[in-house]
């Protein structure tokens, strides 16, 4: 029995429709695979180029002349200035430990900690090390931990309203002096301010004429007056490691930040090797002249004195 012609035609039409739909579905699948492959390839290439550029920047940043040339550049930008402050140079120290600090939330993290390089060539020697700590604010965690590590600690802060005393626990000696670029008495606050060299000369009767294995400063922007005096007085050569929280105002022109960056860079050119920098996420401001908004105003930066490095010891074998 033969089928009607209209039935055969309808069947062939259905077959053609299914064939066309299958072909379209296959073509659509191919297009999706191609687009996915193309996008992934572009992202991979973009990420590779970005990482390569970052590696080149890091390599350049670790070259002796990179930051000098950048800070002298006529095209220097605000972002580049901040890159210099945040430059950690971590390859310069293999083992970095944080001492002290307070845990905060929103955002979560430690504030007030100081980085210490524990590499044998520059590490404070337990039971034979000297620490000066300026800026306490009744927060003794750094001083107590350095004392527990095995250092004799001298702590200083004129703002706490406390008389000189030995702080417990630990081997911590407190003085109600502030540090400045010269010896003076601040009448308004009734604070006794002294230069680092003056303090060291008086206290050498107690601790001898030893190297200061770690000098910590958190002194609310006074570091910009103190650091030049430390350089001028020659005390920089008597400091093995230096940890400073630097503070930046927000309303200065670019050349002011350039001047501050060059001060830090001058210490590095004298042999101070940076090994860490961490920004303060709780201390933010709008740098109007730099067009930087909600940017950090504080950086914890740490250096060791390459001129005081001890002979290298054999590396550990794992």
């Amino acid at each position: 029995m033969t089928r009607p012609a209209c039935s055969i035609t309808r069947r062939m039409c259905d077959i053609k429709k299914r064939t066309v739909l299958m072909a379209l579905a296959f073509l659509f699948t191919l297009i999706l695979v191609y687009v996915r492959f193309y996008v992934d390839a572009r992202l991979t290439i973009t990420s590779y180029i970005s990482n390569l550029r970052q590696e080149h920047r890091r390599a350049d940043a670790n070259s002796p002349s990179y930051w000098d040339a950048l800070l002298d550049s006529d095209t220097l930008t605000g972002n580049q200035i901040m890159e210099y402050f945040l430059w950690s140079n971590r390859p310069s120290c293999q083992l970095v430990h944080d001492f002290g600090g307070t845990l905060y939330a929103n955002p979560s993290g430690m504030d007030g900690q100081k980085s210490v390089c524990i590499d044998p060539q520059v590490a404070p020697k337990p039971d034979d090390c000297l620490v000066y700590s300026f800026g306490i604010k009744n927060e003794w965690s750094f001083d107590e931990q350095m004392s527990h590590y095995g250092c004799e600690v001298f702590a200083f802060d004129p703002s706490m309203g406390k008389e000189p005393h030995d702080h417990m626990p630990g081997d911590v000696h407190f003085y109600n002096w502030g540090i400045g670029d010269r010896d003076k008495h601040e009448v308004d606050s009734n604070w006794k301010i002294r230069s680092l060299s003056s303090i060291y000369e008086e206290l050498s009767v107690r601790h001898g004429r030893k190297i200061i294995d770690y000098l910590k400063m958190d002194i609310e922007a006074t570091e910009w007056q103190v650091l030049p005096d430390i350089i001028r007085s020659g005390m920089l050569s008597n400091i093995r490691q230096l940890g400073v929280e630097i503070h930046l105002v927000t309303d200065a022109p670019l050349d002011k930040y350039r001047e501050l960056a060059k001060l830090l860079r001058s210490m590095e050119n004298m042999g101070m090797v940076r090994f860490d920098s961490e920004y303060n996420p709780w201390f933010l401001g709008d740098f109007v002249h730099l067009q930087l908004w909600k940017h950090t105003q504080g950086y914890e930066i740490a250096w060791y004195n390459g001129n005081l490095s001890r002979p290298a010891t054999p590396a550990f074998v794992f």
Side-chain angles (χ1 to χ4, degrees):
M1 178 177 177
T2 59
R3 296 182 179 180
C6 61
S7 176
I8 294 173
T9 301
R10 189 180 302 114
R11 179 178 174 81
M12 292 180 66
C13 288
D14 290 342
I15 292 173
K16 286 181 178 179
K17 286 180 181 178
R18 285 197 295 270
T19 302
V20 170
L21 289 174
M22 290 176 62
L24 289 173
F26 179 72
L27 181 61
F28 183 70
T29 302
L30 284 179
I31 292 173
L32 285 178
V33 171
Y34 174 77
V35 170
R36 179 65 183 272
F37 174 79
Y38 177 79
V39 170
D40 287 349
R42 286 293 301 271
L43 289 174
T44 300
I45 293 171
T46 301
S47 177
Y48 173 77
I49 293 174
S50 176
N51 290 335
L52 193 61
R53 286 173 176 170
Q54 288 180 9
E55 289 296 328
H56 285 165
R57 281 199 298 269
R58 282 194 287 267
D60 288 341
N62 292 326
S63 69
S65 60
Y66 174 79
W67 292 116
D68 294 322
L70 184 68
L71 295 177
D72 283 332
S73 172
D74 292 335
T75 61
L76 179 69
T77 68
N79 275 317
Q80 289 173 322
I81 281 281
M82 298 306 173
E83 281 182 14
Y84 169 72
F85 290 131
L86 190 56
W87 169 53
S88 67
N89 196 27
R90 286 300 295 271
S92 63
C93 178
Q94 300 302 306
L95 188 58
V96 178
H97 283 184
D98 283 344
F99 283 72
T102 303
L103 182 63
Y104 286 99
N106 298 321
S108 299
M110 297 296 294
D111 180 40
Q113 77 285 356
K114 291 295 180 287
S115 295
V116 181
C117 183
I118 310 297
D119 288 358
Q121 300 95 316
V122 296
K125 287 186 176 181
D127 302 320
D128 186 27
C129 50
L130 174 64
V131 171
Y132 275 19
S133 174
F134 291 93
I136 311 300
K137 293 183 180 177
N138 291 300
E139 208 290 280
W140 298 89
S141 60
F142 169 81
D143 312 271
E144 291 172 356
Q145 289 180 23
M146 289 304 296
S147 176
H148 184 69
Y149 175 87
C151 295
E152 184 178 20
V153 180
F154 290 82
F156 309 87
D157 195 322
S159 69
M160 292 164 50
K162 295 182 181 293
E163 293 299 315
H165 66 278
D166 288 337
H167 172 78
M168 298 295 291
D171 188 15
V172 181
H173 315 296
F174 175 80
Y175 289 84
N176 56 354
W177 304 334
I179 188 171
D181 57 354
R182 63 188 186 280
D183 291 358
K184 61 181 179 180
H185 179 260
E186 291 193 350
V187 177
D188 292 341
S189 57
N190 196 29
W191 290 355
K192 186 175 184 179
I193 306 298
R194 305 186 61 177
S195 67
L196 180 63
S197 57
S198 175
I199 292 172
Y200 181 84
E201 286 299 321
E202 179 163 340
L203 294 185
S204 62
V205 176
R206 293 194 63 172
H207 55 59
R209 305 195 70 81
K210 299 169 64 174
I211 293 292
I212 301 173
D213 290 281
Y214 201 97
L215 172 63
K216 165 225 160 182
M217 289 197 298
D218 186 354
I219 52 177
E220 308 305 320
T222 307
E223 65 272 6
W224 301 119
Q225 289 78 50
V226 172
L227 289 173
D229 175 69
I230 289 177
I231 295 171
R232 286 192 301 267
S233 66
M235 283 299 296
L236 192 64
S237 63
N238 205 39
I239 299 168
R240 193 180 306 279
Q241 291 193 42
L242 173 64
V244 183
E245 179 169 22
I246 67 165
H247 304 77
L248 303 175
V249 298
T250 59
D251 57 351
L254 176 63
D255 281 345
K256 179 60 179 180
Y257 304 111
R258 187 201 302 263
E259 175 188 329
L260 300 180
K262 282 191 168 187
L263 171 61
L264 302 186
R265 188 63 190 150
S266 71
M267 297 194 307
E268 291 161 357
N269 288 330
M270 295 173 67
M272 299 301 291
V273 180
R274 189 186 303 206
F275 63 87
D276 196 27
S277 180
E278 300 173 13
Y279 72 91
N280 187 331
W282 303 279
F283 184 29
L284 305 177
D286 295 332
F287 291 75
V288 179
H289 296 286
L290 303 185
Q291 297 294 294
L292 298 175
W293 315 110
K294 301 303 179 188
H295 197 90
T296 183
Q297 292 182 245
Y299 296 85
E300 294 277 5
I301 307 180
W303 300 263
Y304 64 76
N305 193 332
N307 299 317
L308 296 177
S309 295
R310 307 180 187 96
T313 57
F316 290 104
V317 178
F318 296 95

mmCIF file of all heavy atoms in Angstrom, residues 164-200:
data_model
loop_
_atom_site.group_PDB
_atom_site.id
_atom_site.type_symbol
_atom_site.label_atom_id
_atom_site.label_comp_id
_atom_site.label_asym_id
_atom_site.label_seq_id
_atom_site.Cartn_x
_atom_site.Cartn_y
_atom_site.Cartn_z
ATOM 1 N N PRO A 164 59.481 58.048 85.067
ATOM 2 C CA PRO A 164 60.381 56.958 84.690
ATOM 3 C C PRO A 164 60.224 55.764 85.636
ATOM 4 O O PRO A 164 60.122 55.926 86.847
ATOM 5 C CB PRO A 164 61.764 57.589 84.809
ATOM 6 C CG PRO A 164 61.523 59.054 84.580
ATOM 7 C CD PRO A 164 60.192 59.338 85.197
ATOM 8 N N HIS A 165 60.187 54.556 85.059
ATOM 9 C CA HIS A 165 60.025 53.347 85.862
ATOM 10 C C HIS A 165 60.408 52.144 85.017
ATOM 11 O O HIS A 165 60.579 52.245 83.797
ATOM 12 C CB HIS A 165 58.573 53.202 86.343
ATOM 13 C CG HIS A 165 57.594 52.973 85.229
ATOM 14 N ND1 HIS A 165 57.083 53.997 84.460
ATOM 15 C CD2 HIS A 165 57.039 51.826 84.745
ATOM 16 C CE1 HIS A 165 56.248 53.502 83.556
ATOM 17 N NE2 HIS A 165 56.208 52.189 83.690
ATOM 18 N N ASP A 166 60.557 51.010 85.681
ATOM 19 C CA ASP A 166 60.782 49.743 84.984
ATOM 20 C C ASP A 166 59.425 49.080 84.781
ATOM 21 O O ASP A 166 58.705 48.807 85.744
ATOM 22 C CB ASP A 166 61.719 48.837 85.772
ATOM 23 C CG ASP A 166 63.156 49.327 85.746
ATOM 24 O OD1 ASP A 166 63.501 50.074 84.805
ATOM 25 O OD2 ASP A 166 63.931 48.971 86.649
ATOM 26 N N HIS A 167 59.102 48.837 83.511
ATOM 27 C CA HIS A 167 57.804 48.253 83.176
ATOM 28 C C HIS A 167 57.881 46.733 83.289
ATOM 29 O O HIS A 167 58.848 46.106 82.866
ATOM 30 C CB HIS A 167 57.404 48.646 81.755
ATOM 31 C CG HIS A 167 56.176 47.949 81.252
ATOM 32 N ND1 HIS A 167 54.901 48.332 81.623
ATOM 33 C CD2 HIS A 167 56.040 46.878 80.410
ATOM 34 C CE1 HIS A 167 54.029 47.538 81.030
ATOM 35 N NE2 HIS A 167 54.686 46.648 80.289
ATOM 36 N N MET A 168 56.843 46.165 83.838
ATOM 37 C CA MET A 168 56.722 44.716 83.949
ATOM 38 C C MET A 168 55.495 44.271 83.156
ATOM 39 O O MET A 168 54.498 45.000 83.079
ATOM 40 C CB MET A 168 56.576 44.313 85.419
ATOM 41 C CG MET A 168 57.768 44.688 86.272
ATOM 42 S SD MET A 168 59.285 43.807 85.802
ATOM 43 C CE MET A 168 58.854 42.143 86.326
ATOM 44 N N PRO A 169 55.564 43.035 82.550
ATOM 45 C CA PRO A 169 56.676 42.094 82.582
ATOM 46 C C PRO A 169 57.779 42.475 81.594
ATOM 47 O O PRO A 169 57.537 43.239 80.657
ATOM 48 C CB PRO A 169 56.014 40.781 82.176
ATOM 49 C CG PRO A 169 54.922 41.209 81.243
ATOM 50 C CD PRO A 169 54.404 42.511 81.797
ATOM 51 N N GLY A 170 58.941 41.904 81.820
ATOM 52 C CA GLY A 170 60.049 42.087 80.905
ATOM 53 C C GLY A 170 61.079 43.075 81.406
ATOM 54 O O GLY A 170 60.918 43.736 82.424
ATOM 55 N N ASP A 171 62.139 43.166 80.620
ATOM 56 C CA ASP A 171 63.265 44.047 80.915
ATOM 57 C C ASP A 171 63.071 45.340 80.123
ATOM 58 O O ASP A 171 63.744 45.593 79.123
ATOM 59 C CB ASP A 171 64.565 43.341 80.532
ATOM 60 C CG ASP A 171 65.803 44.104 80.975
ATOM 61 O OD1 ASP A 171 65.661 45.027 81.818
ATOM 62 O OD2 ASP A 171 66.894 43.784 80.487
ATOM 63 N N VAL A 172 62.085 46.159 80.561
ATOM 64 C CA VAL A 172 61.713 47.374 79.841
ATOM 65 C C VAL A 172 61.856 48.569 80.769
ATOM 66 O O VAL A 172 61.248 48.608 81.841
ATOM 67 C CB VAL A 172 60.254 47.302 79.320
ATOM 68 C CG1 VAL A 172 59.905 48.572 78.544
ATOM 69 C CG2 VAL A 172 60.053 46.066 78.442
ATOM 70 N N HIS A 173 62.657 49.547 80.364
ATOM 71 C CA HIS A 173 62.907 50.731 81.166
ATOM 72 C C HIS A 173 62.224 51.929 80.502
ATOM 73 O O HIS A 173 62.545 52.274 79.358
ATOM 74 C CB HIS A 173 64.409 50.988 81.293
ATOM 75 C CG HIS A 173 65.196 49.743 81.595
ATOM 76 N ND1 HIS A 173 65.046 49.028 82.757
ATOM 77 C CD2 HIS A 173 66.132 49.078 80.850
ATOM 78 C CE1 HIS A 173 65.856 47.993 82.741
ATOM 79 N NE2 HIS A 173 66.520 47.994 81.591
ATOM 80 N N PHE A 174 61.310 52.572 81.214
ATOM 81 C CA PHE A 174 60.520 53.654 80.639
ATOM 82 C C PHE A 174 61.056 55.020 81.061
ATOM 83 O O PHE A 174 61.394 55.239 82.226
ATOM 84 C CB PHE A 174 59.057 53.543 81.077
ATOM 85 C CG PHE A 174 58.214 54.692 80.616
ATOM 86 C CD1 PHE A 174 57.724 54.751 79.319
ATOM 87 C CD2 PHE A 174 57.919 55.748 81.473
ATOM 88 C CE1 PHE A 174 56.955 55.830 78.889
ATOM 89 C CE2 PHE A 174 57.147 56.827 81.059
ATOM 90 C CZ PHE A 174 56.664 56.868 79.768
ATOM 91 N N TYR A 175 61.086 55.954 80.077
ATOM 92 C CA TYR A 175 61.455 57.346 80.332
ATOM 93 C C TYR A 175 60.397 58.249 79.699
ATOM 94 O O TYR A 175 59.932 57.981 78.583
ATOM 95 C CB TYR A 175 62.822 57.668 79.725
ATOM 96 C CG TYR A 175 63.975 57.007 80.444
ATOM 97 C CD1 TYR A 175 64.333 55.691 80.142
ATOM 98 C CD2 TYR A 175 64.692 57.686 81.421
ATOM 99 C CE1 TYR A 175 65.380 55.073 80.805
ATOM 100 C CE2 TYR A 175 65.748 57.079 82.091
ATOM 101 C CZ TYR A 175 66.084 55.769 81.786
ATOM 102 O OH TYR A 175 67.109 55.155 82.451
ATOM 103 N N ASN A 176 60.049 59.315 80.410
ATOM 104 C CA ASN A 176 59.023 60.230 79.905
ATOM 105 C C ASN A 176 59.634 61.342 79.053
ATOM 106 O O ASN A 176 59.335 62.523 79.225
ATOM 107 C CB ASN A 176 58.208 60.824 81.065
ATOM 108 C CG ASN A 176 59.080 61.536 82.096
ATOM 109 O OD1 ASN A 176 60.309 61.492 82.009
ATOM 110 N ND2 ASN A 176 58.451 62.202 83.056
ATOM 111 N N TRP A 177 60.497 60.939 78.119
ATOM 112 C CA TRP A 177 61.112 61.869 77.177
ATOM 113 C C TRP A 177 60.495 61.663 75.797
ATOM 114 O O TRP A 177 60.121 60.553 75.416
ATOM 115 C CB TRP A 177 62.623 61.642 77.052
ATOM 116 C CG TRP A 177 63.392 61.701 78.338
ATOM 117 C CD1 TRP A 177 63.058 62.384 79.469
ATOM 118 C CD2 TRP A 177 64.642 61.059 78.607
ATOM 119 N NE1 TRP A 177 64.028 62.216 80.438
ATOM 120 C CE2 TRP A 177 65.009 61.397 79.940
ATOM 121 C CE3 TRP A 177 65.492 60.238 77.880
ATOM 122 C CZ2 TRP A 177 66.183 60.941 80.538
ATOM 123 C CZ3 TRP A 177 66.653 59.774 78.468
ATOM 124 C CH2 TRP A 177 67.000 60.136 79.791
ATOM 125 N N GLY A 178 60.445 62.729 75.038
ATOM 126 C CA GLY A 178 60.090 62.630 73.630
ATOM 127 C C GLY A 178 61.343 62.783 72.786
ATOM 128 O O GLY A 178 62.356 63.306 73.251
ATOM 129 N N ILE A 179 61.272 62.321 71.553
ATOM 130 C CA ILE A 179 62.420 62.454 70.656
ATOM 131 C C ILE A 179 62.151 63.583 69.671
ATOM 132 O O ILE A 179 61.028 63.768 69.191
ATOM 133 C CB ILE A 179 62.714 61.129 69.911
ATOM 134 C CG1 ILE A 179 64.026 61.237 69.135
ATOM 135 C CG2 ILE A 179 61.551 60.734 69.008
ATOM 136 C CD1 ILE A 179 64.503 59.914 68.551
ATOM 137 N N GLY A 180 63.205 64.369 69.421
ATOM 138 C CA GLY A 180 63.102 65.480 68.484
ATOM 139 C C GLY A 180 64.415 65.677 67.764
ATOM 140 O O GLY A 180 65.318 64.842 67.845
ATOM 141 N N ASP A 181 64.534 66.809 67.092
ATOM 142 C CA ASP A 181 65.770 67.085 66.364
ATOM 143 C C ASP A 181 66.790 67.836 67.210
ATOM 144 O O ASP A 181 67.895 68.108 66.753
ATOM 145 C CB ASP A 181 65.475 67.864 65.081
ATOM 146 C CG ASP A 181 64.746 69.168 65.341
ATOM 147 O OD1 ASP A 181 64.371 69.429 66.513
ATOM 148 O OD2 ASP A 181 64.544 69.936 64.377
ATOM 149 N N ARG A 182 66.406 68.173 68.464
ATOM 150 C CA ARG A 182 67.325 68.828 69.393
ATOM 151 C C ARG A 182 66.735 68.749 70.795
ATOM 152 O O ARG A 182 65.549 68.448 70.962
ATOM 153 C CB ARG A 182 67.541 70.299 69.002
ATOM 154 C CG ARG A 182 66.275 71.141 69.072
ATOM 155 C CD ARG A 182 66.511 72.525 68.490
ATOM 156 N NE ARG A 182 65.363 73.406 68.661
ATOM 157 C CZ ARG A 182 64.287 73.393 67.883
ATOM 158 N NH1 ARG A 182 64.219 72.519 66.875
ATOM 159 N NH2 ARG A 182 63.294 74.233 68.096
ATOM 160 N N ASP A 183 67.556 69.038 71.788
ATOM 161 C CA ASP A 183 67.076 69.052 73.171
ATOM 162 C C ASP A 183 66.297 70.344 73.418
ATOM 163 O O ASP A 183 66.763 71.440 73.099
ATOM 164 C CB ASP A 183 68.255 68.975 74.140
ATOM 165 C CG ASP A 183 68.949 67.627 74.111
ATOM 166 O OD1 ASP A 183 68.490 66.743 73.358
ATOM 167 O OD2 ASP A 183 69.936 67.434 74.840
ATOM 168 N N LYS A 184 65.114 70.202 74.011
ATOM 169 C CA LYS A 184 64.303 71.381 74.320
ATOM 170 C C LYS A 184 63.212 70.996 75.305
ATOM 171 O O LYS A 184 62.947 69.820 75.555
ATOM 172 C CB LYS A 184 63.679 71.959 73.052
ATOM 173 C CG LYS A 184 62.743 71.005 72.333
ATOM 174 C CD LYS A 184 62.185 71.625 71.066
ATOM 175 C CE LYS A 184 61.265 70.656 70.316
ATOM 176 N NZ LYS A 184 60.706 71.246 69.087
ATOM 177 N N HIS A 185 62.580 72.014 75.859
ATOM 178 C CA HIS A 185 61.429 71.810 76.737
ATOM 179 C C HIS A 185 60.222 72.473 76.099
ATOM 180 O O HIS A 185 60.230 73.675 75.828
ATOM 181 C CB HIS A 185 61.694 72.390 78.125
ATOM 182 C CG HIS A 185 60.531 72.224 79.053
ATOM 183 N ND1 HIS A 185 59.628 73.225 79.324
ATOM 184 C CD2 HIS A 185 60.117 71.142 79.764
ATOM 185 C CE1 HIS A 185 58.705 72.787 80.168
ATOM 186 N NE2 HIS A 185 58.976 71.527 80.447
ATOM 187 N N GLU A 186 59.180 71.680 75.816
ATOM 188 C CA GLU A 186 57.968 72.221 75.232
ATOM 189 C C GLU A 186 57.077 72.743 76.356
ATOM 190 O O GLU A 186 56.543 71.973 77.151
ATOM 191 C CB GLU A 186 57.241 71.164 74.402
ATOM 192 C CG GLU A 186 57.976 70.789 73.123
ATOM 193 C CD GLU A 186 57.114 69.989 72.169
ATOM 194 O OE1 GLU A 186 56.006 69.558 72.585
ATOM 195 O OE2 GLU A 186 57.544 69.784 71.029
ATOM 196 N N VAL A 187 56.937 74.059 76.405
ATOM 197 C CA VAL A 187 56.246 74.700 77.519
ATOM 198 C C VAL A 187 54.765 74.337 77.535
ATOM 199 O O VAL A 187 54.198 74.012 78.586
ATOM 200 C CB VAL A 187 56.414 76.238 77.437
ATOM 201 C CG1 VAL A 187 55.637 76.912 78.563
ATOM 202 C CG2 VAL A 187 57.903 76.609 77.488
ATOM 203 N N ASP A 188 54.113 74.365 76.383
ATOM 204 C CA ASP A 188 52.671 74.136 76.330
ATOM 205 C C ASP A 188 52.289 72.763 76.873
ATOM 206 O O ASP A 188 51.320 72.617 77.614
ATOM 207 C CB ASP A 188 52.157 74.286 74.894
ATOM 208 C CG ASP A 188 52.254 75.716 74.403
ATOM 209 O OD1 ASP A 188 52.371 76.620 75.266
ATOM 210 O OD2 ASP A 188 52.234 75.938 73.178
ATOM 211 N N SER A 189 53.048 71.753 76.498
ATOM 212 C CA SER A 189 52.737 70.382 76.919
ATOM 213 C C SER A 189 53.536 69.953 78.144
ATOM 214 O O SER A 189 53.253 68.904 78.730
ATOM 215 C CB SER A 189 53.000 69.412 75.772
ATOM 216 O OG SER A 189 54.355 69.523 75.334
ATOM 217 N N ASN A 190 54.559 70.770 78.511
ATOM 218 C CA ASN A 190 55.464 70.420 79.604
ATOM 219 C C ASN A 190 56.174 69.096 79.328
ATOM 220 O O ASN A 190 56.358 68.263 80.215
ATOM 221 C CB ASN A 190 54.716 70.339 80.942
ATOM 222 C CG ASN A 190 55.672 70.362 82.129
ATOM 223 O OD1 ASN A 190 56.760 70.945 82.064
ATOM 224 N ND2 ASN A 190 55.287 69.705 83.220
ATOM 225 N N TRP A 191 56.591 68.919 78.070
ATOM 226 C CA TRP A 191 57.312 67.718 77.673
ATOM 227 C C TRP A 191 58.805 68.025 77.546
ATOM 228 O O TRP A 191 59.202 69.083 77.062
ATOM 229 C CB TRP A 191 56.821 67.202 76.322
ATOM 230 C CG TRP A 191 55.434 66.628 76.350
ATOM 231 C CD1 TRP A 191 54.625 66.430 77.431
ATOM 232 C CD2 TRP A 191 54.699 66.198 75.202
ATOM 233 N NE1 TRP A 191 53.434 65.893 77.048
ATOM 234 C CE2 TRP A 191 53.436 65.735 75.677
ATOM 235 C CE3 TRP A 191 54.953 66.147 73.830
ATOM 236 C CZ2 TRP A 191 52.457 65.221 74.831
ATOM 237 C CZ3 TRP A 191 53.984 65.640 72.983
ATOM 238 C CH2 TRP A 191 52.755 65.188 73.482
ATOM 239 N N LYS A 192 59.613 67.045 77.940
ATOM 240 C CA LYS A 192 61.060 67.120 77.733
ATOM 241 C C LYS A 192 61.387 66.395 76.439
ATOM 242 O O LYS A 192 61.139 65.194 76.302
ATOM 243 C CB LYS A 192 61.806 66.481 78.909
ATOM 244 C CG LYS A 192 63.324 66.648 78.821
ATOM 245 C CD LYS A 192 63.998 66.103 80.073
ATOM 246 C CE LYS A 192 65.510 66.356 80.042
ATOM 247 N NZ LYS A 192 66.163 65.850 81.271
ATOM 248 N N ILE A 193 61.929 67.125 75.473
ATOM 249 C CA ILE A 193 62.266 66.575 74.158
ATOM 250 C C ILE A 193 63.782 66.517 74.031
ATOM 251 O O ILE A 193 64.479 67.486 74.379
ATOM 252 C CB ILE A 193 61.673 67.438 73.024
ATOM 253 C CG1 ILE A 193 60.172 67.626 73.215
ATOM 254 C CG2 ILE A 193 61.977 66.820 71.669
ATOM 255 C CD1 ILE A 193 59.362 66.356 73.183
ATOM 256 N N ARG A 194 64.264 65.399 73.521
ATOM 257 C CA ARG A 194 65.712 65.236 73.380
ATOM 258 C C ARG A 194 66.028 64.587 72.037
ATOM 259 O O ARG A 194 65.230 63.834 71.480
ATOM 260 C CB ARG A 194 66.262 64.383 74.519
ATOM 261 C CG ARG A 194 65.910 64.908 75.898
ATOM 262 C CD ARG A 194 66.583 64.135 76.999
ATOM 263 N NE ARG A 194 68.046 64.216 76.908
ATOM 264 C CZ ARG A 194 68.874 63.671 77.806
ATOM 265 N NH1 ARG A 194 68.375 63.028 78.855
ATOM 266 N NH2 ARG A 194 70.171 63.782 77.660
ATOM 267 N N SER A 195 67.218 64.872 71.532
ATOM 268 C CA SER A 195 67.664 64.226 70.300
ATOM 269 C C SER A 195 68.108 62.798 70.610
ATOM 270 O O SER A 195 68.406 62.453 71.759
ATOM 271 C CB SER A 195 68.819 65.004 69.675
ATOM 272 O OG SER A 195 69.975 64.916 70.506
ATOM 273 N N LEU A 196 68.164 61.969 69.587
ATOM 274 C CA LEU A 196 68.582 60.582 69.792
ATOM 275 C C LEU A 196 70.009 60.512 70.312
ATOM 276 O O LEU A 196 70.312 59.722 71.218
ATOM 277 C CB LEU A 196 68.470 59.799 68.478
ATOM 278 C CG LEU A 196 68.893 58.324 68.568
ATOM 279 C CD1 LEU A 196 67.998 57.550 69.524
ATOM 280 C CD2 LEU A 196 68.887 57.683 67.179
ATOM 281 N N SER A 197 70.892 61.341 69.771
ATOM 282 C CA SER A 197 72.292 61.296 70.213
ATOM 283 C C SER A 197 72.408 61.699 71.678
ATOM 284 O O SER A 197 73.205 61.126 72.435
ATOM 285 C CB SER A 197 73.162 62.199 69.337
ATOM 286 O OG SER A 197 72.685 63.540 69.357
ATOM 287 N N SER A 198 71.611 62.668 72.122
ATOM 288 C CA SER A 198 71.632 63.103 73.513
ATOM 289 C C SER A 198 71.127 61.988 74.441
ATOM 290 O O SER A 198 71.710 61.724 75.500
ATOM 291 C CB SER A 198 70.772 64.355 73.684
ATOM 292 O OG SER A 198 70.674 64.729 75.044
ATOM 293 N N ILE A 199 70.040 61.341 74.042
ATOM 294 C CA ILE A 199 69.503 60.234 74.843
ATOM 295 C C ILE A 199 70.520 59.106 74.932
ATOM 296 O O ILE A 199 70.761 58.534 75.999
ATOM 297 C CB ILE A 199 68.179 59.734 74.226
ATOM 298 C CG1 ILE A 199 67.094 60.791 74.382
ATOM 299 C CG2 ILE A 199 67.741 58.417 74.858
ATOM 300 C CD1 ILE A 199 65.809 60.470 73.635
ATOM 301 N N TYR A 200 71.121 58.777 73.791
ATOM 302 C CA TYR A 200 72.089 57.673 73.763
ATOM 303 C C TYR A 200 73.287 57.977 74.662
ATOM 304 O O TYR A 200 73.767 57.099 75.395
ATOM 305 C CB TYR A 200 72.551 57.418 72.331
ATOM 306 C CG TYR A 200 73.526 56.276 72.203
ATOM 307 C CD1 TYR A 200 73.073 54.962 72.119
ATOM 308 C CD2 TYR A 200 74.903 56.511 72.158
ATOM 309 C CE1 TYR A 200 73.971 53.908 72.001
ATOM 310 C CE2 TYR A 200 75.799 55.469 72.031
ATOM 311 C CZ TYR A 200 75.337 54.170 71.960
ATOM 312 O OH TYR A 200 76.227 53.132 71.850
#
